[in-house]
PDB file of all heavy atoms in Angstrom:
ATOM      1  N   ALA W 204     134.903 246.666  26.616  1.00 93.00           N
ATOM      2  CA  ALA W 204     133.803 246.687  25.579  1.00 93.00           C
ATOM      3  C   ALA W 204     132.609 247.496  26.085  1.00 93.00           C
ATOM      4  O   ALA W 204     132.222 247.290  27.424  1.00 93.00           O
ATOM      5  CB  ALA W 204     133.349 245.229  25.253  1.00 93.00           C
ATOM      6  N   ALA W 205     132.032 248.392  25.456  1.00 94.00           N
ATOM      7  CA  ALA W 205     130.982 249.199  25.804  1.00 94.00           C
ATOM      8  C   ALA W 205     129.582 248.656  25.474  1.00 94.00           C
ATOM      9  O   ALA W 205     128.603 249.118  25.960  1.00 94.00           O
ATOM     10  CB  ALA W 205     131.103 250.627  25.205  1.00 94.00           C
ATOM     11  N   GLU W 206     129.579 247.536  24.569  1.00 93.00           N
ATOM     12  CA  GLU W 206     128.311 246.974  24.088  1.00 93.00           C
ATOM     13  C   GLU W 206     127.331 246.650  25.267  1.00 93.00           C
ATOM     14  O   GLU W 206     126.112 246.878  25.141  1.00 93.00           O
ATOM     15  CB  GLU W 206     128.548 245.917  23.214  1.00 93.00           C
ATOM     16  CG  GLU W 206     129.071 246.338  21.837  1.00 93.00           C
ATOM     17  CD  GLU W 206     130.534 246.781  21.875  1.00 93.00           C
ATOM     18  OE1 GLU W 206     131.124 246.379  22.861  1.00 93.00           O
ATOM     19  OE2 GLU W 206     130.986 247.388  20.797  1.00 93.00           O
ATOM     20  N   PRO W 207     127.783 245.810  26.290  1.00 94.00           N
ATOM     21  CA  PRO W 207     126.832 245.570  27.421  1.00 94.00           C
ATOM     22  C   PRO W 207     126.180 246.689  28.040  1.00 94.00           C
ATOM     23  O   PRO W 207     125.074 246.576  28.382  1.00 94.00           O
ATOM     24  CB  PRO W 207     127.764 244.695  28.335  1.00 94.00           C
ATOM     25  CG  PRO W 207     128.882 244.190  27.499  1.00 94.00           C
ATOM     26  CD  PRO W 207     129.131 245.264  26.488  1.00 94.00           C
ATOM     27  N   THR W 208     126.885 247.790  28.126  1.00 95.00           N
ATOM     28  CA  THR W 208     126.420 248.976  28.878  1.00 95.00           C
ATOM     29  C   THR W 208     125.314 249.582  27.914  1.00 95.00           C
ATOM     30  O   THR W 208     124.290 250.026  28.395  1.00 95.00           O
ATOM     31  CB  THR W 208     127.487 249.977  29.104  1.00 95.00           C
ATOM     32  OG1 THR W 208     128.572 249.314  29.721  1.00 95.00           O
ATOM     33  CG2 THR W 208     126.944 251.090  30.021  1.00 95.00           C
ATOM     34  N   ILE W 209     125.614 249.644  26.582  1.00 95.00           N
ATOM     35  CA  ILE W 209     124.632 250.101  25.699  1.00 95.00           C
ATOM     36  C   ILE W 209     123.296 249.362  25.681  1.00 95.00           C
ATOM     37  O   ILE W 209     122.292 249.915  25.773  1.00 95.00           O
ATOM     38  CB  ILE W 209     125.219 250.285  24.236  1.00 95.00           C
ATOM     39  CG1 ILE W 209     126.484 251.268  24.301  1.00 95.00           C
ATOM     40  CG2 ILE W 209     124.296 250.839  23.240  1.00 95.00           C
ATOM     41  CD1 ILE W 209     127.293 251.161  23.040  1.00 95.00           C
ATOM     42  N   GLU W 210     123.460 248.071  25.616  1.00 94.00           N
ATOM     43  CA  GLU W 210     122.306 247.091  25.690  1.00 94.00           C
ATOM     44  C   GLU W 210     121.516 247.319  26.913  1.00 94.00           C
ATOM     45  O   GLU W 210     120.335 247.373  26.928  1.00 94.00           O
ATOM     46  CB  GLU W 210     122.752 245.672  25.520  1.00 94.00           C
ATOM     47  CG  GLU W 210     123.407 245.415  24.111  1.00 94.00           C
ATOM     48  CD  GLU W 210     123.998 244.045  24.044  1.00 94.00           C
ATOM     49  OE1 GLU W 210     123.937 243.315  25.102  1.00 94.00           O
ATOM     50  OE2 GLU W 210     124.548 243.671  23.060  1.00 94.00           O
ATOM     51  N   ARG W 211     122.225 247.483  28.102  1.00 94.00           N
ATOM     52  CA  ARG W 211     121.569 247.710  29.341  1.00 94.00           C
ATOM     53  C   ARG W 211     120.687 248.966  29.316  1.00 94.00           C
ATOM     54  O   ARG W 211     119.610 248.997  29.810  1.00 94.00           O
ATOM     55  CB  ARG W 211     122.509 247.726  30.378  1.00 94.00           C
ATOM     56  CG  ARG W 211     122.030 248.128  31.840  1.00 94.00           C
ATOM     57  CD  ARG W 211     121.182 247.082  32.392  1.00 94.00           C
ATOM     58  NE  ARG W 211     120.782 247.357  33.787  1.00 94.00           N
ATOM     59  CZ  ARG W 211     119.810 246.732  34.359  1.00 94.00           C
ATOM     60  NH1 ARG W 211     119.214 245.760  33.810  1.00 94.00           N
ATOM     61  NH2 ARG W 211     119.454 247.155  35.658  1.00 94.00           N
ATOM     62  N   CYS W 212     121.274 250.058  28.742  1.00 95.00           N
ATOM     63  CA  CYS W 212     120.571 251.348  28.682  1.00 95.00           C
ATOM     64  C   CYS W 212     119.253 251.101  27.980  1.00 95.00           C
ATOM     65  O   CYS W 212     118.190 251.594  28.443  1.00 95.00           O
ATOM     66  CB  CYS W 212     121.434 252.308  28.001  1.00 95.00           C
ATOM     67  SG  CYS W 212     120.589 253.948  27.556  1.00 95.00           S
ATOM     68  N   TRP W 213     119.235 250.481  26.712  1.00 94.00           N
ATOM     69  CA  TRP W 213     118.072 250.479  25.915  1.00 94.00           C
ATOM     70  C   TRP W 213     117.107 249.443  26.454  1.00 94.00           C
ATOM     71  O   TRP W 213     115.834 249.613  26.389  1.00 94.00           O
ATOM     72  CB  TRP W 213     118.382 250.166  24.504  1.00 94.00           C
ATOM     73  CG  TRP W 213     119.128 251.253  23.754  1.00 94.00           C
ATOM     74  CD1 TRP W 213     120.452 251.165  23.289  1.00 94.00           C
ATOM     75  CD2 TRP W 213     118.686 252.464  23.531  1.00 94.00           C
ATOM     76  NE1 TRP W 213     120.790 252.296  22.731  1.00 94.00           N
ATOM     77  CE2 TRP W 213     119.710 253.151  22.907  1.00 94.00           C
ATOM     78  CE3 TRP W 213     117.433 253.147  23.744  1.00 94.00           C
ATOM     79  CZ2 TRP W 213     119.599 254.465  22.408  1.00 94.00           C
ATOM     80  CZ3 TRP W 213     117.329 254.544  23.254  1.00 94.00           C
ATOM     81  CH2 TRP W 213     118.363 255.079  22.661  1.00 94.00           C
ATOM     82  N   ALA W 214     117.557 248.441  27.142  1.00 93.00           N
ATOM     83  CA  ALA W 214     116.634 247.489  27.818  1.00 93.00           C
ATOM     84  C   ALA W 214     115.792 248.136  28.853  1.00 93.00           C
ATOM     85  O   ALA W 214     114.624 247.938  29.020  1.00 93.00           O
ATOM     86  CB  ALA W 214     117.414 246.242  28.338  1.00 93.00           C
ATOM     87  N   VAL W 215     116.372 248.940  29.760  1.00 93.00           N
ATOM     88  CA  VAL W 215     115.730 249.605  30.864  1.00 93.00           C
ATOM     89  C   VAL W 215     114.854 250.643  30.293  1.00 93.00           C
ATOM     90  O   VAL W 215     113.757 250.819  30.846  1.00 93.00           O
ATOM     91  CB  VAL W 215     116.755 250.142  31.867  1.00 93.00           C
ATOM     92  CG1 VAL W 215     116.011 250.809  33.070  1.00 93.00           C
ATOM     93  CG2 VAL W 215     117.613 248.934  32.452  1.00 93.00           C
ATOM     94  N   LEU W 216     115.290 251.330  29.301  1.00 93.00           N
ATOM     95  CA  LEU W 216     114.490 252.458  28.747  1.00 93.00           C
ATOM     96  C   LEU W 216     113.261 251.924  28.099  1.00 93.00           C
ATOM     97  O   LEU W 216     112.120 252.412  28.061  1.00 93.00           O
ATOM     98  CB  LEU W 216     115.393 253.254  27.668  1.00 93.00           C
ATOM     99  CG  LEU W 216     114.643 254.468  27.147  1.00 93.00           C
ATOM    100  CD1 LEU W 216     114.360 255.496  28.154  1.00 93.00           C
ATOM    101  CD2 LEU W 216     115.416 255.061  25.998  1.00 93.00           C
ATOM    102  N   TRP W 217     113.370 250.659  27.482  1.00 92.00           N
ATOM    103  CA  TRP W 217     112.136 250.007  26.811  1.00 92.00           C
ATOM    104  C   TRP W 217     111.141 249.570  27.900  1.00 92.00           C
ATOM    105  O   TRP W 217     110.012 249.816  27.706  1.00 92.00           O
ATOM    106  CB  TRP W 217     112.591 248.870  25.977  1.00 92.00           C
ATOM    107  CG  TRP W 217     111.539 248.041  25.480  1.00 92.00           C
ATOM    108  CD1 TRP W 217     111.261 246.757  25.691  1.00 92.00           C
ATOM    109  CD2 TRP W 217     110.484 248.519  24.513  1.00 92.00           C
ATOM    110  NE1 TRP W 217     110.113 246.396  24.984  1.00 92.00           N
ATOM    111  CE2 TRP W 217     109.619 247.497  24.175  1.00 92.00           C
ATOM    112  CE3 TRP W 217     110.286 249.742  23.909  1.00 92.00           C
ATOM    113  CZ2 TRP W 217     108.537 247.572  23.397  1.00 92.00           C
ATOM    114  CZ3 TRP W 217     109.193 249.832  23.080  1.00 92.00           C
ATOM    115  CH2 TRP W 217     108.283 248.727  22.775  1.00 92.00           C
ATOM    116  N   ASP W 218     111.706 249.205  29.027  1.00 90.00           N
ATOM    117  CA  ASP W 218     110.765 248.794  30.134  1.00 90.00           C
ATOM    118  C   ASP W 218     110.004 250.031  30.564  1.00 90.00           C
ATOM    119  O   ASP W 218     108.831 249.965  30.936  1.00 90.00           O
ATOM    120  CB  ASP W 218     111.526 248.264  31.280  1.00 90.00           C
ATOM    121  CG  ASP W 218     112.069 246.773  30.982  1.00 90.00           C
ATOM    122  OD1 ASP W 218     111.481 246.182  30.066  1.00 90.00           O
ATOM    123  OD2 ASP W 218     113.074 246.378  31.710  1.00 90.00           O
ATOM    124  N   LEU W 219     110.663 251.191  30.527  1.00 88.00           N
ATOM    125  CA  LEU W 219     110.021 252.491  30.949  1.00 88.00           C
ATOM    126  C   LEU W 219     108.951 252.932  29.966  1.00 88.00           C
ATOM    127  O   LEU W 219     107.799 253.342  30.189  1.00 88.00           O
ATOM    128  CB  LEU W 219     111.047 253.537  31.074  1.00 88.00           C
ATOM    129  CG  LEU W 219     110.510 254.968  31.390  1.00 88.00           C
ATOM    130  CD1 LEU W 219     109.685 255.081  32.710  1.00 88.00           C
ATOM    131  CD2 LEU W 219     111.709 255.987  31.335  1.00 88.00           C
ATOM    132  N   VAL W 220     109.300 252.783  28.610  1.00 85.00           N
ATOM    133  CA  VAL W 220     108.444 253.325  27.544  1.00 85.00           C
ATOM    134  C   VAL W 220     107.334 252.441  27.241  1.00 85.00           C
ATOM    135  O   VAL W 220     106.090 252.957  27.133  1.00 85.00           O
ATOM    136  CB  VAL W 220     109.303 253.578  26.251  1.00 85.00           C
ATOM    137  CG1 VAL W 220     108.390 253.932  25.138  1.00 85.00           C
ATOM    138  CG2 VAL W 220     110.363 254.605  26.513  1.00 85.00           C
ATOM    139  N   ARG W 221     107.538 251.106  27.418  1.00 83.00           N
ATOM    140  CA  ARG W 221     106.360 250.213  26.936  1.00 83.00           C
ATOM    141  C   ARG W 221     105.309 250.111  28.015  1.00 83.00           C
ATOM    142  O   ARG W 221     104.199 249.680  27.776  1.00 83.00           O
ATOM    143  CB  ARG W 221     106.946 248.844  26.656  1.00 83.00           C
ATOM    144  CG  ARG W 221     107.432 248.000  27.889  1.00 83.00           C
ATOM    145  CD  ARG W 221     107.856 246.759  27.639  1.00 83.00           C
ATOM    146  NE  ARG W 221     108.212 246.009  28.906  1.00 83.00           N
ATOM    147  CZ  ARG W 221     108.591 244.728  28.854  1.00 83.00           C
ATOM    148  NH1 ARG W 221     108.681 244.059  27.816  1.00 83.00           N
ATOM    149  NH2 ARG W 221     109.004 244.077  29.918  1.00 83.00           N
ATOM    150  N   GLY W 222     105.674 250.344  29.270  1.00 73.00           N
ATOM    151  CA  GLY W 222     104.715 250.348  30.358  1.00 73.00           C
ATOM    152  C   GLY W 222     104.331 248.848  30.702  1.00 73.00           C
ATOM    153  O   GLY W 222     105.269 247.985  30.800  1.00 73.00           O
ATOM    154  N   ALA W 223     103.037 248.495  30.687  1.00 69.00           N
ATOM    155  CA  ALA W 223     102.684 247.149  31.069  1.00 69.00           C
ATOM    156  C   ALA W 223     102.541 246.312  29.815  1.00 69.00           C
ATOM    157  O   ALA W 223     102.199 245.061  29.998  1.00 69.00           O
ATOM    158  CB  ALA W 223     101.417 247.152  31.833  1.00 69.00           C
ATOM    159  N   ALA W 224     102.656 246.796  28.675  1.00 74.00           N
ATOM    160  CA  ALA W 224     102.554 246.048  27.437  1.00 74.00           C
ATOM    161  C   ALA W 224     103.588 245.019  27.246  1.00 74.00           C
ATOM    162  O   ALA W 224     104.739 245.290  27.454  1.00 74.00           O
ATOM    163  CB  ALA W 224     102.475 247.032  26.158  1.00 74.00           C
ATOM    164  N   LYS W 225     103.219 243.860  26.905  1.00 80.00           N
ATOM    165  CA  LYS W 225     104.275 242.782  26.662  1.00 80.00           C
ATOM    166  C   LYS W 225     104.543 242.728  25.152  1.00 80.00           C
ATOM    167  O   LYS W 225     104.083 241.953  24.374  1.00 80.00           O
ATOM    168  CB  LYS W 225     103.647 241.399  27.185  1.00 80.00           C
ATOM    169  CG  LYS W 225     103.342 241.247  28.552  1.00 80.00           C
ATOM    170  CD  LYS W 225     104.593 241.429  29.461  1.00 80.00           C
ATOM    171  CE  LYS W 225     104.203 241.318  30.902  1.00 80.00           C
ATOM    172  NZ  LYS W 225     105.426 241.405  31.726  1.00 80.00           N
ATOM    173  N   VAL W 226     105.442 243.604  24.711  1.00 84.00           N
ATOM    174  CA  VAL W 226     105.916 243.794  23.387  1.00 84.00           C
ATOM    175  C   VAL W 226     107.342 243.514  23.341  1.00 84.00           C
ATOM    176  O   VAL W 226     108.152 243.990  24.238  1.00 84.00           O
ATOM    177  CB  VAL W 226     105.487 245.161  22.869  1.00 84.00           C
ATOM    178  CG1 VAL W 226     105.853 245.240  21.332  1.00 84.00           C
ATOM    179  CG2 VAL W 226     104.061 245.489  23.093  1.00 84.00           C
ATOM    180  N   ARG W 227     107.792 242.981  22.168  1.00 88.00           N
ATOM    181  CA  ARG W 227     109.203 242.683  22.071  1.00 88.00           C
ATOM    182  C   ARG W 227     109.957 244.011  21.803  1.00 88.00           C
ATOM    183  O   ARG W 227     109.413 244.888  21.164  1.00 88.00           O
ATOM    184  CB  ARG W 227     109.387 241.805  20.890  1.00 88.00           C
ATOM    185  CG  ARG W 227     110.768 241.392  20.632  1.00 88.00           C
ATOM    186  CD  ARG W 227     110.915 240.506  19.288  1.00 88.00           C
ATOM    187  NE  ARG W 227     112.221 240.065  19.089  1.00 88.00           N
ATOM    188  CZ  ARG W 227     112.700 239.274  18.081  1.00 88.00           C
ATOM    189  NH1 ARG W 227     111.738 238.894  17.214  1.00 88.00           N
ATOM    190  NH2 ARG W 227     114.001 239.006  17.870  1.00 88.00           N
ATOM    191  N   GLN W 228     111.085 244.022  22.461  1.00 91.00           N
ATOM    192  CA  GLN W 228     111.967 245.308  22.316  1.00 91.00           C
ATOM    193  C   GLN W 228     112.518 245.568  20.889  1.00 91.00           C
ATOM    194  O   GLN W 228     112.967 244.615  20.312  1.00 91.00           O
ATOM    195  CB  GLN W 228     113.218 245.130  23.225  1.00 91.00           C
ATOM    196  CG  GLN W 228     114.044 246.348  23.215  1.00 91.00           C
ATOM    197  CD  GLN W 228     115.291 246.247  24.096  1.00 91.00           C
ATOM    198  OE1 GLN W 228     115.215 245.519  25.048  1.00 91.00           O
ATOM    199  NE2 GLN W 228     116.375 247.007  23.868  1.00 91.00           N
ATOM    200  N   PRO W 229     112.184 246.675  20.385  1.00 91.00           N
ATOM    201  CA  PRO W 229     112.709 247.010  18.986  1.00 91.00           C
ATOM    202  C   PRO W 229     114.231 247.180  19.044  1.00 91.00           C
ATOM    203  O   PRO W 229     114.855 247.213  20.008  1.00 91.00           O
ATOM    204  CB  PRO W 229     111.877 248.235  18.571  1.00 91.00           C
ATOM    205  CG  PRO W 229     111.671 248.933  19.960  1.00 91.00           C
ATOM    206  CD  PRO W 229     111.514 247.822  20.983  1.00 91.00           C
ATOM    207  N   GLU W 230     114.731 247.415  17.757  1.00 93.00           N
ATOM    208  CA  GLU W 230     116.110 247.650  17.629  1.00 93.00           C
ATOM    209  C   GLU W 230     116.473 249.088  18.227  1.00 93.00           C
ATOM    210  O   GLU W 230     115.464 250.002  18.314  1.00 93.00           O
ATOM    211  CB  GLU W 230     116.556 247.599  16.111  1.00 93.00           C
ATOM    212  CG  GLU W 230     116.467 246.280  15.603  1.00 93.00           C
ATOM    213  CD  GLU W 230     117.463 245.343  16.203  1.00 93.00           C
ATOM    214  OE1 GLU W 230     118.482 245.709  16.522  1.00 93.00           O
ATOM    215  OE2 GLU W 230     117.115 244.178  16.326  1.00 93.00           O
ATOM    216  N   PRO W 231     117.592 249.345  18.660  1.00 92.00           N
ATOM    217  CA  PRO W 231     117.918 250.688  19.237  1.00 92.00           C
ATOM    218  C   PRO W 231     117.697 251.832  18.359  1.00 92.00           C
ATOM    219  O   PRO W 231     117.114 252.885  18.869  1.00 92.00           O
ATOM    220  CB  PRO W 231     119.485 250.538  19.462  1.00 92.00           C
ATOM    221  CG  PRO W 231     119.742 249.068  19.599  1.00 92.00           C
ATOM    222  CD  PRO W 231     118.767 248.345  18.711  1.00 92.00           C
ATOM    223  N   ALA W 232     117.784 251.700  17.082  1.00 91.00           N
ATOM    224  CA  ALA W 232     117.504 252.890  16.211  1.00 91.00           C
ATOM    225  C   ALA W 232     115.941 253.146  16.190  1.00 91.00           C
ATOM    226  O   ALA W 232     115.620 254.347  16.319  1.00 91.00           O
ATOM    227  CB  ALA W 232     117.948 252.545  14.792  1.00 91.00           C
ATOM    228  N   GLU W 233     115.178 252.108  16.246  1.00 93.00           N
ATOM    229  CA  GLU W 233     113.763 252.306  16.241  1.00 93.00           C
ATOM    230  C   GLU W 233     113.261 252.784  17.558  1.00 93.00           C
ATOM    231  O   GLU W 233     112.449 253.744  17.695  1.00 93.00           O
ATOM    232  CB  GLU W 233     112.971 251.006  15.880  1.00 93.00           C
ATOM    233  CG  GLU W 233     111.432 251.124  15.981  1.00 93.00           C
ATOM    234  CD  GLU W 233     110.848 252.114  15.004  1.00 93.00           C
ATOM    235  OE1 GLU W 233     111.536 252.433  13.965  1.00 93.00           O
ATOM    236  OE2 GLU W 233     109.797 252.567  15.203  1.00 93.00           O
ATOM    237  N   LEU W 234     113.796 252.352  18.567  1.00 93.00           N
ATOM    238  CA  LEU W 234     113.440 252.736  20.026  1.00 93.00           C
ATOM    239  C   LEU W 234     113.838 254.197  20.221  1.00 93.00           C
ATOM    240  O   LEU W 234     113.138 254.924  20.885  1.00 93.00           O
ATOM    241  CB  LEU W 234     114.234 251.872  21.007  1.00 93.00           C
ATOM    242  CG  LEU W 234     113.892 252.067  22.505  1.00 93.00           C
ATOM    243  CD1 LEU W 234     112.370 252.185  22.853  1.00 93.00           C
ATOM    244  CD2 LEU W 234     114.618 251.077  23.465  1.00 93.00           C
ATOM    245  N   ALA W 235     115.106 254.567  19.650  1.00 93.00           N
ATOM    246  CA  ALA W 235     115.511 255.916  19.831  1.00 93.00           C
ATOM    247  C   ALA W 235     114.642 256.938  19.053  1.00 93.00           C
ATOM    248  O   ALA W 235     114.294 257.964  19.506  1.00 93.00           O
ATOM    249  CB  ALA W 235     116.943 256.020  19.326  1.00 93.00           C
ATOM    250  N   ARG W 236     114.174 256.502  17.838  1.00 92.00           N
ATOM    251  CA  ARG W 236     113.253 257.328  17.164  1.00 92.00           C
ATOM    252  C   ARG W 236     111.924 257.464  17.927  1.00 92.00           C
ATOM    253  O   ARG W 236     111.288 258.661  18.048  1.00 92.00           O
ATOM    254  CB  ARG W 236     112.890 256.749  15.831  1.00 92.00           C
ATOM    255  CG  ARG W 236     111.710 257.378  14.941  1.00 92.00           C
ATOM    256  CD  ARG W 236     111.608 256.772  13.647  1.00 92.00           C
ATOM    257  NE  ARG W 236     112.609 257.371  12.786  1.00 92.00           N
ATOM    258  CZ  ARG W 236     112.441 258.615  12.198  1.00 92.00           C
ATOM    259  NH1 ARG W 236     111.309 259.264  12.353  1.00 92.00           N
ATOM    260  NH2 ARG W 236     113.393 259.014  11.367  1.00 92.00           N
ATOM    261  N   ARG W 237     111.311 256.459  18.538  1.00 91.00           N
ATOM    262  CA  ARG W 237     110.171 256.565  19.340  1.00 91.00           C
ATOM    263  C   ARG W 237     110.337 257.576  20.500  1.00 91.00           C
ATOM    264  O   ARG W 237     109.546 258.237  20.813  1.00 91.00           O
ATOM    265  CB  ARG W 237     109.682 255.184  19.781  1.00 91.00           C
ATOM    266  CG  ARG W 237     109.326 254.220  18.611  1.00 91.00           C
ATOM    267  CD  ARG W 237     108.752 252.926  19.280  1.00 91.00           C
ATOM    268  NE  ARG W 237     108.523 251.960  18.234  1.00 91.00           N
ATOM    269  CZ  ARG W 237     107.971 250.719  18.530  1.00 91.00           C
ATOM    270  NH1 ARG W 237     107.768 250.334  19.794  1.00 91.00           N
ATOM    271  NH2 ARG W 237     107.740 249.806  17.469  1.00 91.00           N
ATOM    272  N   TYR W 238     111.472 257.331  21.052  1.00 93.00           N
ATOM    273  CA  TYR W 238     111.810 258.178  22.253  1.00 93.00           C
ATOM    274  C   TYR W 238     111.883 259.712  21.896  1.00 93.00           C
ATOM    275  O   TYR W 238     111.260 260.468  22.454  1.00 93.00           O
ATOM    276  CB  TYR W 238     113.088 257.758  22.903  1.00 93.00           C
ATOM    277  CG  TYR W 238     113.578 258.622  24.037  1.00 93.00           C
ATOM    278  CD1 TYR W 238     113.244 258.408  25.358  1.00 93.00           C
ATOM    279  CD2 TYR W 238     114.341 259.780  23.816  1.00 93.00           C
ATOM    280  CE1 TYR W 238     113.638 259.273  26.273  1.00 93.00           C
ATOM    281  CE2 TYR W 238     114.782 260.733  24.739  1.00 93.00           C
ATOM    282  CZ  TYR W 238     114.408 260.299  26.073  1.00 93.00           C
ATOM    283  OH  TYR W 238     114.826 261.296  27.085  1.00 93.00           O
ATOM    284  N   ALA W 239     112.582 259.966  20.673  1.00 92.00           N
ATOM    285  CA  ALA W 239     112.667 261.356  20.305  1.00 92.00           C
ATOM    286  C   ALA W 239     111.392 261.978  19.996  1.00 92.00           C
ATOM    287  O   ALA W 239     110.952 263.118  20.224  1.00 92.00           O
ATOM    288  CB  ALA W 239     113.648 261.436  19.104  1.00 92.00           C
ATOM    289  N   GLU W 240     110.465 261.117  19.324  1.00 92.00           N
ATOM    290  CA  GLU W 240     109.156 261.541  19.004  1.00 92.00           C
ATOM    291  C   GLU W 240     108.280 261.836  20.134  1.00 92.00           C
ATOM    292  O   GLU W 240     107.626 262.880  20.307  1.00 92.00           O
ATOM    293  CB  GLU W 240     108.424 260.571  18.060  1.00 92.00           C
ATOM    294  CG  GLU W 240     109.041 260.404  16.628  1.00 92.00           C
ATOM    295  CD  GLU W 240     108.366 259.202  15.856  1.00 92.00           C
ATOM    296  OE1 GLU W 240     107.584 258.478  16.463  1.00 92.00           O
ATOM    297  OE2 GLU W 240     108.663 259.083  14.742  1.00 92.00           O
ATOM    298  N   LEU W 241     108.381 260.961  21.255  1.00 92.00           N
ATOM    299  CA  LEU W 241     107.699 261.144  22.409  1.00 92.00           C
ATOM    300  C   LEU W 241     108.098 262.343  23.183  1.00 92.00           C
ATOM    301  O   LEU W 241     107.232 263.114  23.629  1.00 92.00           O
ATOM    302  CB  LEU W 241     107.888 259.895  23.239  1.00 92.00           C
ATOM    303  CG  LEU W 241     107.319 259.956  24.743  1.00 92.00           C
ATOM    304  CD1 LEU W 241     105.803 259.913  24.702  1.00 92.00           C
ATOM    305  CD2 LEU W 241     107.808 258.824  25.542  1.00 92.00           C
ATOM    306  N   LEU W 242     109.403 262.648  23.236  1.00 93.00           N
ATOM    307  CA  LEU W 242     109.874 263.750  23.951  1.00 93.00           C
ATOM    308  C   LEU W 242     109.418 265.002  23.197  1.00 93.00           C
ATOM    309  O   LEU W 242     109.017 266.058  23.761  1.00 93.00           O
ATOM    310  CB  LEU W 242     111.403 263.635  24.165  1.00 93.00           C
ATOM    311  CG  LEU W 242     112.089 264.842  24.935  1.00 93.00           C
ATOM    312  CD1 LEU W 242     111.493 264.960  26.350  1.00 93.00           C
ATOM    313  CD2 LEU W 242     113.586 264.496  25.025  1.00 93.00           C
TER     314      LEU W 242
END
Side-chain angles (χ1 to χ4, degrees):
E206 286 76 13
T208 312
I209 300 171
E210 294 174 0
R211 172 70 178 165
C212 170
W213 291 118
V215 178
L216 185 64
W217 175 241
D218 289 339
L219 172 66
V220 173
R221 72 175 181 177
K225 299 296 182 180
V226 184
R227 183 179 179 181
Q228 178 181 338
E230 294 296 325
E233 177 62 24
L234 181 54
R236 169 174 281 276
R237 295 184 187 181
Y238 174 90
E240 292 175 353
L241 174 67
L242 182 59

